[in-house]
Amino acid sequence: QKEVEQNSGPLSVPEGAIASLNCTYSDRGSQSFFWYRQYSGKSPELIMFIYSNGDKEDGRFTAQLNKASQYVSLLIRDSQPSDSATYLCAARRGSTLGRLYFGRGTQLTVWP
Amino acid sequence: KAGVTQTPRYLIKTRGQQVTLSCSPISGHRSVSWYQQTPGQGLQFLFEYFSETQRNKGNFPGRFSGRQFSNSRSEMNVSTLELGDSALYLCASSLGQTSTDTQYFGPGTRLTVL
């Protein structure tokens, strides 16, 4: 079982819709979780991170964490074509601060 | 603040050669992590250096090595290159002191092994 699993997609939504990206993790020692966006041919860029149960909002993005279910999600409201990218979920254990465990990513396409 | 820089951006090598990649972290960051990204395997962790010491290591063969200098700049070396080493090599820097410290990625080095 991989450390971090993401729904593989691809996910396709119309412009203006809500895109929902999901991620589960296997190690209960994971303490913090990160969402990165990666455009084709580019390096990952950080969208946001979360470490407490519940929701965390940043502009059009909302991250949700449920430690009991070992589940992390990212909602993108009012999706734009410029949001079309691969979204990577990553987890960090408290015991290995310098290492992130990445999922395989979910490819999102927002069509006009 | 300047971001993470990596050099070179592109490399073409042949099997059996060796290669050295360089990464300069964000000023003040003491942790540098290296990842390999391929279409088939996704992002895989190579190793992490913190204050010139290797703190974490992934499951890569000994052909992959690294080091960090006193100014936090890091290099990784791959010896005896194989075709399967063709990948995007990414380094990421962070403060490296708490579990919420964010990692910021450099632009990557695209390595092609022929």
Side-chain angles (χ1 to χ4, degrees):
Chain A
Q1 183 187 9
K2 277 188 69 70
E3 183 89 18
V4 175
E5 304 261 13
Q6 293 184 246
N7 46 339
S8 58
L11 178 65
S12 181
V13 301
E15 184 175 356
I18 296 175
S20 177
L21 304 158
N22 305 314
C23 172
T24 58
Y25 60 97
S26 61
D27 190 332
R28 287 195 176 274
S30 298
Q31 294 188 349
S32 50
F33 305 87
F34 302 80
W35 283 99
Y36 287 85
R37 175 174 63 195
Q38 186 173 25
Y39 292 109
S40 181
K42 302 293 186 182
S43 63
E45 57 177 327
L46 179 71
I47 299 174
M48 61 192 304
F49 70 92
I50 186 168
Y51 56 89
S52 298
N53 271 330
D55 296 358
K56 180 181 178 183
E57 189 174 314
D58 183 359
R60 296 187 295 112
F61 299 95
T62 299
Q64 299 173 316
L65 173 61
N66 183 323
K67 290 186 177 179
S69 300
Q70 295 177 244
Y71 178 87
V72 191
S73 67
L74 179 71
L75 299 178
I76 307 174
R77 290 183 301 281
D78 188 25
S79 296
Q80 301 297 310
S82 59
D83 294 325
S84 298
T86 297
Y87 289 79
L88 299 163
C89 171
R92 174 188 274 140
R93 298 179 188 171
S95 58
T96 53
L97 294 180
R99 176 173 185 168
L100 293 180
Y101 294 83
F102 281 89
R104 294 296 301 275
T106 299
Q107 187 176 347
L108 170 67
T109 299
V110 181
W111 44 277
Chain B
K1 228 181 207 182
V4 181
T5 58
Q6 291 187 246
T7 56
R9 294 291 311 278
Y10 302 92
L11 266 178
I12 299 176
K13 294 285 187 179
T14 57
R15 279 180 297 174
Q17 287 186 309
Q18 76 166 22
V19 67
T20 299
L21 313 181
S22 180
C23 172
S24 292
I26 291 170
S27 178
H29 286 188
R30 292 161 64 189
S31 169
V32 174
S33 302
W34 289 89
Y35 297 86
Q36 180 196 66
Q37 188 174 34
T38 59
Q41 299 296 322
L43 266 162
Q44 293 188 285
F45 175 79
L46 284 153
F47 31 66
E48 182 235 0
Y49 286 86
F50 180 81
S51 293
E52 301 181 67
T53 300
Q54 187 181 84
R55 190 165 63 169
N56 294 288
K57 189 177 188 307
N59 296 323
F60 277 79
R63 300 185 297 107
F64 292 82
S65 63
R67 59 178 175 168
Q68 187 179 35
F69 302 94
S70 59
N71 61 358
S72 294
R73 189 177 70 86
S74 178
E75 289 181 346
M76 69 163 280
N77 184 277
V78 188
S79 63
T80 319
L81 284 166
E82 301 176 359
L83 293 178
D85 297 332
S86 294
L88 180 65
Y89 290 88
L90 293 159
C91 81
S93 82
S94 73
L95 292 171
Q97 294 175 303
T98 74
S99 63
T100 58
D101 289 339
T102 49
Q103 285 192 359
Y104 297 93
F105 283 86
T109 295
R110 172 75 62 184
L111 172 64
T112 302
V113 182
L114 302 175

